[in-house]
Amino acid sequence: MSIPSANVQATIDATRTDSELVGIPHWIDGAVDKSGELWPVINPATGVQIAQVSLADREIVDRAVAAAAAAFPAWAATTPTRRAAVLHRFRALLMEHTDELAVAISAEHGKTVDDARGEVSRGLEAVELAAAVPFLLKGELSEQTGTNIDTFMAWHPLGVCVGITPFNFPVMIPLMMLSVALASGNTFILKPSEQDPGPSLLIAQLAAEAGVPAGVLTVLHGRQQVVETLIDHPDTAAVSFVGSTPVARAIYSRASQAGKRVQAMGGAKNHLVVAPDANLDAVADALSSAAFGSAGQRCMAVTTAVVVGDVADALAEKMRERAMNVVVGNGADPSSEMGPVISIDAQVRIRGFVERAIAGGATAVVDRSTEPVEGHDQGSFVGPVVLDGVSPSSEIYQNEVFGPVLILVRVETFDEALELVRTNRYGNGASLFTRSGLLARRFQREAQAGMVGINVPIPVPVAAYSVAGWKDSIFGDTGLNNGSWRFYNRPKYVTSRWDESTSGVDLGFRPN
Ligand code: NAD
């Protein structure tokens, strides 16, 4: 028997009075707040409800925004050096609590604890970057732009910023958003995914311990209605979103109409092009790690290998060996290499894609999608899948599957491969494996994607750069990390004249 979908489970939970169940409250004005209806949080490896999260309503949102707005003036006036000191302490505390965070991520998301530690370390990079605020947020000054006139530009924070984050990185993406937002002097309301909300509360508590004042960082749980209330609220200034493309598009549109700044990162269909001269063992290792890591639920997971020329049979065989060897199990078990997908709904969706692709003519090199995991009958597991001979016109090529499914598309020439990368509607990441500098240079120039890898399968740049896709993978024009200073700040240009003389009335518009 499979467990009911999240929607049904929520109905069951509404009547539940299990006092043993962990509660995941909001964090408002520097304190936990348990108000609102409850929503079940399920361990996807066991299918068992492990917690219940409080969902906000309009009144709770109003209260949270009021606290964030009230905290803004003092935090904005705090010197960047002091804000940086708080971020340094925050980073140290996050480091100290890495294991606790990783276990919490694994329990609610399902990824292995080891992978979750990696996620935390990427999040730490974001905090480290933001702590360089005194250096990175310098303004500009030009002396003598007119006679005894100087012009300068200073960055000013926006006010109450909102961040809506996906389930797949419950620590890294919140940290990428809130670090630069807070360093800049904004207050920040995080609305994490309701599917794995627990780690966000730990983040808020550690931030408070580090010295982030009450109201400066808020965590509000909820779903669509809470997101829309936050976007429409007259006292919120900007909205950052990371999640699926349809929701990103809707949020971009709604926030723009409300006159808010908005950056919305969406889904992906990341291609890895295999040139005939590539080292096939290196390619197969990279593809396996990038397609099956975190059960394929990374926005930069490689989902599509475009194989050029006559190496496809050899690569398919190497992929078969590797995909068969991946150890699937509970993410809390150190021997597991791959955990479950996030929910039964996701399991059903992914298996459906695989079934229809095979029925439509794709060859199953490996299909472990329905393989049971011992002792975990109720878990939402989907084992690794490798499908060969996939047509670019097929449903599985056209859509984001967001599971451990790798498709192989065979093409004759490098130009055909490049054309697929160019015309795919998503443009988050794209990689090429080759020994040819000429092909590599052409690829890095011509691939239509925001993040490009050369002999690197998941080319997420370090925090000193930016995480940002192209095409349907982003709505708005700024990414996360170092790309978001301009998003979370607005320039003020001051022209000042310090001169005792008078110049007389002159109604003309004179050159400087
Ligand atoms: P999702 O779009 O379902 O949800 C993301 C967030 O939006 C959650 O907080 C959710 O509660 C909220 N939400 C869901 N539906 C909503 C609606 N109709 N209106 C308003 N808010 C809504 O995404 P997910 O399943 O949590 O995450 C996986 C997706 O995120 C994948 O598509 C993945 O590619 C994408 N992703 C992209 C990046 C990137 O950098 N481009 C990074 C990570 C994840």
Side-chain angles (χ1 to χ4, degrees), residues 162-389:
V162 174
I164 300 136
T165 54
F167 80 83
N168 67 329
F169 285 113
V171 167
M172 182 185 79
I173 289 178
L175 289 180
M176 282 179 175
M177 288 181 187
L178 68 87
S179 299
V180 173
L182 295 189
S184 304
N186 298 289
T187 56
F188 191 83
I189 299 179
L190 170 64
K191 204 304 283 171
S193 170
E194 66 281 16
Q195 297 189 90
D196 48 8
S200 58
L201 187 68
L202 272 171
I203 290 173
Q205 286 171 328
L206 294 176
E209 198 180 331
V212 170
V216 170
L217 176 60
T218 301
V219 176
L220 265 192
H221 301 291
R223 307 180 75 214
Q224 179 171 357
Q225 188 228 334
V226 169
V227 171
E228 291 177 353
T229 308
L230 282 166
I231 293 174
D232 297 345
H233 199 290
D235 294 334
T236 60
V239 180
S240 298
F241 173 85
V242 176
S244 59
T245 288
V247 182
R249 196 192 296 275
I251 283 181
Y252 184 76
S253 158
R254 190 174 188 116
S256 305
Q257 275 176 17
K260 307 283 164 83
R261 273 189 188 205
V262 52
Q263 50 170 199
M265 270 133 273
K269 193 81 187 171
N270 305 313
H271 288 40
L272 187 151
V273 174
V274 184
D277 68 345
N279 174 334
L280 283 194
D281 282 309
V283 170
D285 287 346
L287 277 175
S288 304
S289 313
F292 308 136
S294 195
Q297 300 171 115
R298 294 183 184 131
C299 53
M300 287 291 276
V302 171
T303 59
T304 309
V306 185
V307 193
V308 181
D310 58 7
V311 295
D313 286 344
L315 181 65
E317 178 52 25
K318 288 179 191 296
M319 287 311 302
R320 194 188 63 74
E321 288 160 17
R322 285 163 177 77
M324 288 307 296
N325 284 334
V326 172
V327 181
V328 182
N330 191 325
D333 178 347
S335 66
S336 302
E337 294 177 309
M338 196 186 107
V341 296
I342 185 69
S343 63
I344 293 293
D345 287 350
Q347 182 192 54
V348 169
R349 186 194 70 236
I350 297 162
R351 287 177 175 173
F353 270 116
V354 174
E355 262 175 48
R356 291 189 296 276
I358 294 170
T363 307
V365 177
V366 173
D367 179 6
R368 297 173 62 191
S369 59
T370 55
E371 190 180 276
V373 171
E374 206 185 321
H376 291 76
D377 294 351
Q378 309 296 311
S380 45
F381 287 92
V382 179
V385 177
V386 180
L387 300 177
D388 196 0

